[in-house]
């Protein structure tokens, strides 16, 4: 999606790669390296939770794009290749967690909801020293933090990415221009393949029809625009909707609430 930013330097990426173990089971000082966006594809031997304290985070893996607006976070299991992007005005809070400390991370990236309690726990933990007292108050807070993380509800804010090269061309074009109205038949003609073949592959590799995939892309593309305060009418047009009511109806179908309700809830 557009307007992504990366603020990590190559020397910092090398420093992160050199970190082979965590100083404690949970690592996430507010001024530490983990709170930067790393746009280069990388992996590490610990679980990462990237939380959007403000703005929108996007985590890209080989088979999906995961979008975390405020009060959401992305689980990145140990060993999963990924890149982290932030949109303008985003404030990241990341926790790095030893794999043995929490089984709930699973084996695949996913977006989870961050409750007000979990948000405050993450904020409080960020103020502790890197080598906090595991037997004292910080250690007890970490226990509560891990319990809350283990029970975090999953949010359907991921966009599955196909493996087929032809589908990826279509998806990259739509990612650059979410309002693109071309039908699947138009893409099929351009690529010299049957529409039926592309339709079957979309469903097989993403679990979504072409129209369903494009609509989800549009909803996720709308989140950073809405979060930074763009007018709903402008967002609707940018995402390929002829009217604001049509966009709001689609947004409500996707999230269960209107755009205004969604971001008031985040605030």
């Amino acid at each position: 999606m557009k307007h992504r930013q990366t603020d990590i330097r190559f020397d910092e990426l090398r420093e992160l790669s050199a970190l082979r173990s965590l100083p404690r089971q949970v690592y996430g000082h507010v001024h530490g390296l983990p709170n930067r966006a790393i746009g280069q594809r990388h992996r590490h031997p610990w679980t990462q939770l990237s939380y959007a304290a403000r703005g929108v985070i996007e985590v890209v893996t080989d088979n999906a794009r995961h979008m975390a607006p405020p009060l959401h976070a992305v689980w990145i299991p140990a060993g999963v290749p990924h890149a982290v992007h932030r949109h303008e005005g985003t404030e990241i809070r990341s926790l790095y967690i030893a794999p043995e400390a929490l089984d709930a991370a699973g084996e695949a990236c996913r977006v989870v909801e961050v409750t007000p309690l979990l948000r405050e726990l993450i904020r409080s933990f960020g103020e502790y020293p890197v080598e906090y007292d595991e037997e004292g108050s910080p250690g007890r807070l970490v226990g509560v933090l891990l319990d809350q993380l283990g029970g975090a509800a999953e949010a359907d804010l991921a966009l599955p990415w196909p493996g087929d090269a032809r589908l990826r061309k279509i998806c990259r074009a739509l990612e650059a221009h979410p309002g693109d109205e071309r039908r699947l038949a138009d893409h099929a003609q351009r690529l010299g393949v049957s529409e039926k073949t592309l339709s079957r592959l979309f469903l097989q590799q993403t679990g979504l029809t072409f129209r369903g995939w494009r609509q989800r892309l549009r909803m996720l593309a709308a989140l950073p625009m809405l979060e930074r305060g763009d007018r709903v009418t402008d967002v609707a047009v940018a995402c390929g909707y002829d009217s604001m009511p049509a966009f709001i109806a689609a947004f409500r179908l996707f999230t269960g609430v209107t755009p205004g309700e969604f971001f008031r809830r985040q605030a």
Side-chain angles (χ1 to χ4, degrees):
M1 288 112 190
K2 296 185 290 185
H3 306 296
R4 296 183 302 195
Q5 297 183 353
T6 299
D7 55 14
I8 192 111
R9 299 192 301 270
F10 283 105
D11 59 335
E12 291 172 325
L13 184 57
R14 286 195 297 270
E15 181 182 343
L16 181 62
S17 300
L19 185 62
R20 295 302 179 187
S21 63
L22 300 179
R24 292 290 187 266
Q25 279 197 319
V26 181
Y27 174 39
H29 191 273
V30 67
H31 297 304
L33 178 60
N35 293 316
R36 294 183 179 274
I38 304 178
Q40 291 84 15
R41 190 172 180 272
H42 66 287
R43 69 176 82 191
H44 33 66
W46 46 73
T47 295
Q48 179 177 344
L49 182 85
S50 285
Y51 161 58
R54 183 177 64 244
V56 177
I57 299 169
E58 184 182 354
V59 174
V60 180
T61 64
D62 290 342
N63 55 13
R65 269 68 172 153
H66 302 80
M67 190 74 74
L71 286 187
H72 290 79
V74 184
W75 273 118
I76 309 167
V80 173
H82 64 281
V84 180
H85 303 281
R86 66 180 181 90
H87 290 259
E88 185 177 357
T90 297
E91 179 183 344
I92 298 175
R93 290 287 178 268
S94 288
L95 299 179
Y96 286 5
I97 304 169
E100 65 274 13
L102 190 64
D103 294 333
E107 297 181 355
C109 284
R110 70 186 194 278
V111 182
V112 297
E113 296 179 3
V114 174
T115 64
L117 172 59
L118 184 51
R119 176 190 62 196
E120 294 307 318
L121 289 169
I122 293 172
R123 286 178 175 174
S124 297
F125 178 76
E127 299 299 329
Y128 286 144
V130 171
E131 296 185 347
Y132 55 82
D133 181 5
E134 294 181 290
E135 302 300 324
S137 175
R140 291 191 293 272
L141 181 140
V142 168
V144 177
L145 175 60
L146 290 173
D147 283 344
Q148 291 295 308
L149 288 173
E154 187 167 353
D156 194 13
L157 294 173
L159 184 71
W161 205 254
D164 184 88
R166 294 163 297 185
L167 297 190
R168 284 185 175 237
K169 286 182 180 180
I170 298 172
C171 294
R172 281 194 292 268
L174 287 168
E175 186 182 37
H177 302 285
D180 189 338
E181 289 287 357
R182 282 179 293 177
R183 303 167 302 162
L184 187 58
D186 298 326
H187 292 289
Q189 184 177 20
R190 178 173 58 88
L191 294 172
V193 65
S194 73
E195 180 183 2
K196 184 177 180 180
T197 295
L198 291 184
S199 179
R200 175 178 53 80
L201 285 172
F202 251 107
L203 191 58
Q204 181 183 83
Q205 297 192 8
T206 70
L208 298 168
T209 65
F210 169 72
R211 287 174 61 86
W213 191 94
R214 184 175 64 184
Q215 179 153 315
R216 177 172 294 203
L217 167 77
R218 289 173 171 179
M219 293 299 100
L220 294 180
L223 291 178
M225 291 186 275
L226 292 168
E227 210 280 333
R228 69 171 179 252
D230 290 8
R231 295 192 312 161
V232 176
T233 301
D234 295 336
V235 176
V237 171
C239 292
Y241 289 88
D242 295 332
S243 67
M244 185 170 66
F247 170 74
I248 291 175
F251 194 92
R252 186 195 293 272
L253 185 64
F254 182 63
T255 65
V257 294
T258 66
E261 291 169 334
F262 184 87
F263 284 99
R264 278 197 299 273
R265 187 175 63 186
Q266 312 314 310

